[in-house]
């Protein structure tokens, strides 16, 4: 980072007629101020890449520099590829935006509400107006036992309850995009990542773009940027703004992942990686609708389709939205669409993974687009810098005078200073993890709205301490063990060790629980699970609810009654041969098989004896 600082100081003054030089000076300076270890940026104008460079390093404290070919996780920018895949099928007339998902999947998609099943269409999925709550259900695909995206949509989503009516409200839904992903696969007749590769990546020569980390080749692996988490430490001062930064090797199998619940690691809602150089090719393609089979379908996707809250728009804009009555909407595959960028038509898609951040912006009227990749996530000021760099690049290559660019940046700097002051004012707390023989471990950190802002080192301290000295539950451990299930979330298994401590297993999550005896009820930490899964870096509490006979964590609830119901349903699903043999019986005629409708795990089948007489005797077989 010292080299970066020297370059910023000794660069000669850029000519006002050279936007690339102006952009380089601006980004060099702001990248250093941001404390983000590494950034890559790219700009497209009139179909041509006019600027693509890297700043900083791939790993904090390292020497391997970021360049325009460095690969970053793009997070939810993957959704644009899914949306444009569906736009292709709209363009060739195979579907319309209003075609229902149930129809396209030939009945394989069924929601928990009959009205959703019958009416949810492609446009609803792509503009987050399905009625599924904001980020509801994400923990399942992040670390659960779902296995495949098809299983997620066909077997689990039928149990996910919407929180609003269809088309009532914009609510960001990764699950909605997983349904869209399976819809695309039904149309394409192949996995989404195969379709995206053949339809987009290969024709555009996007050789540094892959559907997910498992697809990274040995040749590409050195180009994948490290990931970083930043937090303000206990001694944080806004004047120096020195975050505590942890580095992660994304190629390492034990690095926490957002796709731990999916067996192949590919997620249509957000698993792709790309580089600044490659993404410029994609943005040029998005801006040139004439290259598509139907320009109209692409233009409709890039238009406003669902009204969004101003707070959501502002978060992705990085500038004030002051025009009264200005419509702010989501497009199909885009977060914000509207005449919002200094009065000019603008659309954007952002993406976040556990360790990377991506922001894009496109000005179709000017034929200009910009992308910024950053290799640090979660630090409170990072998104301000990433948005600000994106906005400045759009302005510079649009010919905006640098005095205006700097004036707009100064407004954003004021907001950044407020955030730094907020971080300094966060309370510093000491959190004690109780252990056997009072070998307690204490971690000191800032806290924000009850969330501890802790480092990887602190998590490792707790993991090491609780591995052998963690406390067992207050009562008999076997009362809390067994198999617990939820229709959507799946199976949680709890067992006990010889020392009475509990072990939980859920999807890719496995850990020995450490009891917190001072908390009311049975509350536990899951330190090792925190270290290696999408729950990193927070200590999500695991709670056993005696009244419901259920385990709860991360918004999920698993009950023993749910496991009993699951066994009944599994028995029914495996009874086709049994049913067939009975229906072929010369003596019995099958009338009805019920589904369990109460907590009791009872279902029944009703048969009639086949007799020539009009009278029949009914026999109830309970299974």
């Amino acid at each position: 980072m010292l080299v970066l600082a020297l370059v910023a100081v000794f660069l000669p003054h850029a000519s006002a007629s050279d936007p690339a030089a102006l952009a380089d000076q601006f980004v060099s300076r702001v990248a250093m101020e941001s404390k983000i270890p590494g950034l890559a940026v790219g700009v497209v104008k009139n179909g041509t890449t006019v600027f693509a460079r890297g700043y900083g390093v791939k790993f904090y404290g390292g020497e391997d520099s970021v360049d325009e070919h460095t690969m970053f996780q793009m997070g939810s920018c993957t959704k644009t590829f899914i949306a444009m895949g569906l736009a292709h099928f709209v363009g060739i007339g195979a579907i319309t935006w209003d075609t229902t998902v149930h129809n396209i999947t030939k009945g394989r998609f069924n929601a928990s509400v009959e009205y959703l099943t019958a009416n949810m269409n492609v446009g609803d999925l792509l503009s987050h107006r399905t009625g599924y709550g904001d980020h509801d259900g994400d923990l399942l695909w992040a670390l659960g036992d779902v296995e495949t995206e098809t299983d997620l949509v066909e077997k689990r989503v039928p149990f996910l309850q919407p929180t609003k009516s269809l088309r009532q409200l914009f609510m960001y839904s990764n699950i909605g995009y997983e349904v869209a992903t399976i819809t695309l696969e039904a149309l394409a007749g192949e996995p989404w990542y195969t379709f995206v590769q053949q339809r987009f990546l290969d024709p555009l020569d996007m050789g540094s773009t892959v559907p997910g980390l498992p697809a990274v080749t040995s040749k590409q692996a050195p180009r994948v940027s490290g990931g970083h988490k930043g937090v303000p430490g206990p001694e944080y001062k806004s004047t120096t703004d020195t975050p505590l930064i942890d580095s992660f090797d994304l190629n390492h199998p034990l690095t926490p992942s957002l796709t731990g619940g999916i067996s192949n690691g590919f997620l249509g809602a957000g698993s792709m990686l790309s580089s600044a150089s490659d993404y410029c090719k994609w943005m040029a393609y998005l801006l040139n609708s004439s290259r598509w089979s139907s320009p109209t379908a692409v233009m409709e996707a890039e238009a406003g389709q669902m009204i969004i809250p101003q707070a959501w728009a502002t978060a992705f804009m990085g500038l004030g939205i002051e025009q009264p009555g200005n419509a702010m909407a989501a497009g199909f595959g885009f977060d914000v669409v509207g005449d919002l960028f200094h009065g000019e038509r603008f659309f954007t898609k952002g993406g976040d993974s556990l360790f990377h951040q991506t922001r894009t912006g496109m000005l179709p009227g000017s034929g200009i687009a910009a992308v910024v990749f950053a290799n640090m996530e979660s630090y409170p000021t990072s998104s301000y810098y990433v948005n600000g760099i994106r906005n400045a690049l759009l302005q510079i290559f649009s010919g905006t005078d640098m005095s205006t660019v700097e004036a707009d940046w100064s407004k954003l700097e004021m907001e950044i200073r407020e955030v730094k002051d907020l971080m300094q004012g966060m309370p510093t707390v000491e959190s004690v993890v109780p252990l056997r023989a009072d070998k307690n471990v204490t971690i000191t950190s800032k806290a924000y709205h009850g969330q501890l802002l802790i480092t990887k080192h602190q998590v490792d301290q707790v993991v090491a301490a609780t591995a052998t000295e963690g406390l067992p539950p207050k009562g008999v451990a076997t009362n809390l063990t067994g198999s617990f299930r939820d229709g959507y979330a799946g199976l949680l298994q709890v067992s006990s060790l010889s020392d009475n401590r509990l072990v939980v297993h859920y999807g890719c999550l496995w850990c020995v629980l450490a009891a917190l005896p001072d908390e009311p009820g049975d509350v536990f930490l899951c330190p090792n699970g925190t270290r290696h899964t999408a729950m990193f870096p927070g200590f999500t509490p695991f709670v056993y609810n005696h009244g419901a006979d259920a385990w709860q964590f991360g918004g999920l609830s698993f009950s023993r009654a749910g496991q009993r119901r699951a066994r009944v349903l599994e028995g029914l699903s495996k009874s086709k041969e049994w049913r067939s043999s009975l229906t072929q019986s010369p003596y019995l005629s099958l009338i009805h098989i019920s589904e369990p409708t109460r907590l009791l795990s009872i279902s029944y089948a009703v048969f009639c004896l086949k007799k020539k007489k009009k009278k029949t005797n009914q026999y109830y077989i309970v299974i």
Side-chain angles (χ1 to χ4, degrees):
M1 298 302 287
L2 178 60
V3 173
L4 182 63
L6 293 174
V7 169
V9 171
F10 292 109
L11 272 173
H13 183 70
S15 167
S17 61
D18 185 357
L22 292 171
D24 188 44
Q25 284 196 351
F26 180 88
V27 178
S28 294
R29 185 188 88 224
V30 175
M32 182 178 63
E33 294 172 2
S34 73
K35 306 302 172 71
I36 298 171
L39 293 158
V41 304
V43 180
V44 168
K45 186 170 185 178
N46 298 328
T48 301
T49 299
V50 294
F51 188 69
R53 297 186 188 176
Y55 300 86
V57 291
K58 294 175 184 175
F59 288 90
Y60 179 67
E63 297 180 354
D64 194 1
S65 299
V66 171
D67 62 24
E68 67 271 25
H69 303 296
T70 299
M71 297 168 66
F72 294 80
Q73 290 179 316
M74 68 172 76
S76 286
C77 288
T78 306
K79 292 179 173 69
T80 306
F81 288 85
I82 300 298
M84 293 301 103
L86 289 164
H88 163 75
F89 287 101
V90 172
I92 64 175
I95 60 169
T96 71
W97 298 118
D98 296 327
T99 304
T100 66
V101 179
H102 189 73
N103 183 27
I104 295 171
T105 61
K106 294 180 169 51
R108 290 188 293 121
F109 167 75
N110 293 279
S112 60
V113 177
E114 186 175 346
Y115 182 83
L116 278 184
T117 300
N119 293 280
M120 185 188 294
N121 62 39
V122 174
D124 297 326
L125 298 171
L126 300 183
S127 57
H128 301 285
R129 61 191 190 207
T130 60
Y132 292 127
D134 185 66
H135 289 88
D136 271 5
D138 285 0
L139 203 56
L140 172 58
W141 51 260
L143 57 81
D145 66 344
V146 70
E147 289 295 324
T148 70
E149 291 176 287
T150 299
D151 288 343
L152 172 63
V153 171
E154 295 183 8
K155 297 181 180 180
R156 302 302 182 83
V157 170
F159 293 93
L160 185 64
Q161 296 296 321
T163 61
K164 299 291 182 182
S165 299
L166 181 65
R167 303 178 195 127
Q168 178 184 354
L169 190 67
F170 172 90
M171 293 183 291
Y172 198 86
S173 175
N174 288 305
I175 290 299
Y177 262 82
E178 282 303 291
V179 178
T181 297
I182 299 307
T183 304
L184 174 59
E185 292 186 341
L187 291 164
E190 59 188 354
W192 68 268
Y193 41 87
T194 303
F195 174 84
V196 166
Q197 186 75 44
Q198 296 174 351
R199 174 61 55 179
F200 301 130
L201 305 186
D202 289 344
L204 295 175
D205 191 27
M206 296 176 66
S208 294
T209 303
V210 295
L213 282 168
V216 173
T217 65
S218 57
K219 185 177 179 180
Q220 292 170 327
R223 300 212 308 270
V224 176
S225 174
H228 301 88
K229 284 280 192 183
V231 297
E235 306 300 324
Y236 176 86
K237 301 295 182 185
S238 61
T239 51
T240 54
D241 185 35
T242 304
L244 302 179
I245 298 176
D246 289 320
S247 295
F248 296 84
D249 181 358
L250 270 59
N251 294 310
H252 194 285
L254 290 182
T255 294
S257 167
L258 273 180
T259 57
I262 304 295
S263 58
N264 65 5
F266 300 150
L267 191 78
S271 67
M272 291 179 70
L273 293 85
S274 190
S275 66
S277 177
D278 261 19
Y279 208 88
C280 282
K281 300 173 185 177
W282 176 238
M283 294 189 300
Y285 190 53
L286 291 174
L287 286 175
N288 188 356
S289 58
S290 66
R291 297 174 65 182
W292 293 74
S293 54
S294 172
T296 301
V298 179
M299 292 171 66
E300 289 171 344
E302 295 170 355
Q305 299 291 342
M306 183 64 185
I307 297 298
I308 58 177
Q310 180 162 336
W312 173 262
T314 302
F316 284 97
M317 291 295 296
L319 58 99
I321 302 171
E322 301 171 355
Q323 298 93 329
N326 201 344
M328 297 170 291
F332 293 153
F334 299 99
D335 293 321
V336 184
V337 174
D339 299 335
L340 303 172
F341 194 81
H342 304 286
E344 189 170 351
R345 190 72 174 165
F346 170 87
F347 57 93
T348 180
K349 185 74 192 83
D352 297 85
S353 68
L354 285 177
F355 306 115
H356 288 173
Q357 190 173 54
T358 306
R359 293 294 181 268
T360 69
M362 282 152 266
L363 304 175
S366 302
I368 297 174
V371 62
V372 181
F373 291 106
N375 65 8
M376 185 165 74
E377 179 60 273
S378 297
Y379 194 58
T381 59
S382 295
S383 61
Y384 290 87
Y385 285 104
V386 175
N387 282 332
I389 291 172
R390 186 267 322 271
N391 293 346
L393 291 172
L394 291 174
Q395 288 179 295
I396 291 169
F397 284 90
S398 296
T400 303
D401 186 82
M402 282 305 296
S403 61
T404 301
V405 174
E406 292 290 356
D408 287 339
W409 172 247
S410 295
K411 295 176 184 177
L412 197 57
E413 278 189 313
M414 291 178 63
E415 295 184 39
I416 292 172
R417 282 195 291 272
E418 291 177 0
V419 174
K420 291 178 181 178
D421 290 340
L422 174 65
M423 287 193 285
Q424 180 172 313
M426 290 176 183
T428 297
V429 298
E430 289 190 346
S431 303
V432 179
V433 179
L435 301 172
R436 299 181 186 188
D438 291 329
K439 299 177 182 178
N440 301 347
V441 60
T442 301
I443 55 176
T444 304
S445 68
K446 290 281 190 179
Y448 183 63
H449 288 182
Q451 177 75 29
L452 299 180
L453 304 181
I454 55 180
T455 65
K456 179 173 65 175
H457 174 69
Q458 290 174 315
V459 173
D460 287 341
Q461 278 185 298
V462 176
V463 169
T466 57
T468 57
E469 302 299 333
L471 294 176
K474 301 171 185 176
V476 180
T478 53
N479 292 341
L480 283 63
T481 61
S483 296
F484 302 79
R485 187 181 288 270
D486 173 74
Y488 174 76
L491 178 65
L492 175 76
Q493 295 176 304
V494 184
S495 58
S496 60
L497 299 174
S498 58
D499 62 2
N500 215 36
R501 289 187 297 163
L502 297 174
V503 177
V504 296
H505 180 209
Y506 175 59
C508 69
L509 172 70
W510 183 96
C511 70
V512 179
L513 295 181
L516 300 177
D518 293 335
E519 296 293 328
D522 281 295
V523 182
F524 304 83
L525 293 183
C526 181
N528 190 57
T530 296
R531 178 64 179 83
H532 298 295
T533 70
M535 293 196 302
F536 181 85
F539 286 117
T540 300
F542 280 60
V543 179
Y544 178 73
N545 185 323
H546 286 268
D549 193 14
W551 280 92
Q552 298 162 340
F553 76 95
L556 303 178
S557 181
F558 305 80
S559 71
R560 210 184 303 266
Q563 173 64 7
R564 290 196 294 268
R565 288 195 298 271
R567 284 199 300 267
V568 171
L569 292 172
E570 184 179 5
L572 286 172
S573 68
K574 292 180 178 178
S575 63
K576 291 182 180 179
E577 183 178 343
W578 172 77
R579 297 189 209 188
S580 177
S581 64
L582 285 173
T583 55
Q584 293 172 10
S585 167
Y587 307 107
L588 295 175
S589 177
L590 177 65
I591 295 177
H592 171 68
I593 293 182
S594 80
E595 297 287 349
T597 56
R598 294 172 294 179
L599 290 180
L600 295 177
S601 54
I602 296 177
S603 185
Y604 61 86
V606 180
F607 298 88
C608 283
L609 284 175
K610 293 180 179 177
K611 291 186 178 181
K612 291 183 179 179
K613 297 179 181 180
K614 291 184 180 180
K615 271 191 168 184
T616 61
N617 294 320
Q618 291 185 340
Y619 293 83
Y620 293 84
I621 302 177
V622 178
I623 58 172

